[in-house]
Amino acid sequence: TVVDGAGRPARLADALDDHDLGRLPIASSTALHAQARARRVCELAAACALPTRHGAFRAATHANADTGGATMALVHGDPAAHTAPLVHLHSGCLLGDVLRSQLCRCREDLEAAIGAILAEGAGLLLYTKPSAMTPLACGAGQPADAAVAAGLLRRAGVTRLRLADGDPRTEAELRALGLDVIPAGLEAAA
């Protein structure tokens, strides 16, 4: 909705012609909704300490009651202290991750992501369970909910990150949500 200086509704074309209003950025309702969702996730995610056989992590998770999807951020060290911490996206795969099926590389990819984060001393693994998946489907290639990912990253104090294994669409969505995303190979950890 566009309003004039007196707070009355105005046409977008008139607002764009106005010297002061015409310089303001325009955001779609979809972009505004995604920003609001990211803020809510940052505020409302459940969190706990999570000791694992790999080391100490903190877990913050957000479940979407509307879709049934869930995303967990496994946080190692203090990623906020790094200029651009390493972030891996991983889509859950019951057969590969849990049962170690030989039909996919999901378990190996998950282990490699955890190893890379541990080697850097800090970072995040965003583990997603998309809502549309059947329990036995491999999650590889399923897109992450960028608004939820952005909220969990901000909760960990991360606004600039190196994204490993990133889907170009997810990278673009994270950038649109105000995060500075760098492909993982371009900058060393700070």
Side-chain angles (χ1 to χ4, degrees), residues 1-157:
T1 302
V2 178
V3 295
D4 64 15
R8 294 182 304 260
R11 291 181 337 118
L12 179 59
D14 293 338
L16 291 174
D17 288 338
D18 182 274
H19 174 70
D20 293 323
L21 294 177
R23 295 181 297 166
L24 294 174
I26 299 173
S28 68
S29 60
T30 303
L32 294 173
H33 179 69
Q35 287 282 3
R37 286 184 60 228
R39 278 192 304 275
R40 280 194 308 273
V41 169
C42 182
E43 296 166 2
L44 301 176
C48 67
L50 183 67
T52 73
R53 67 181 176 94
H54 299 290
F57 287 86
R58 291 180 319 283
T61 188
H62 176 75
N64 187 328
D66 295 332
T67 67
T71 302
M72 176 182 288
L74 293 175
V75 182
H76 178 69
D78 184 8
H82 291 245
T83 302
L86 184 61
V87 174
H88 279 269
L89 297 173
H90 186 85
S91 190
C93 175
L94 175 66
L95 296 178
D97 295 346
V98 178
L99 301 174
R100 299 177 186 241
S101 169
Q102 298 296 309
L103 298 175
C104 65
R105 291 192 33 84
C106 292
R107 180 62 182 221
E108 291 84 9
D109 292 346
L110 180 60
E111 294 281 342
I114 291 171
I117 290 167
L118 291 170
E120 296 219 357
L124 289 95
L125 173 76
L126 293 173
Y127 189 95
T128 65
K129 181 207 154 272
S131 58
M133 281 180 38
T134 62
L136 299 179
C138 177
Q142 294 293 315
D145 183 328
V148 172
L152 291 171
L153 288 164
R154 284 197 181 100
R155 182 180 176 93

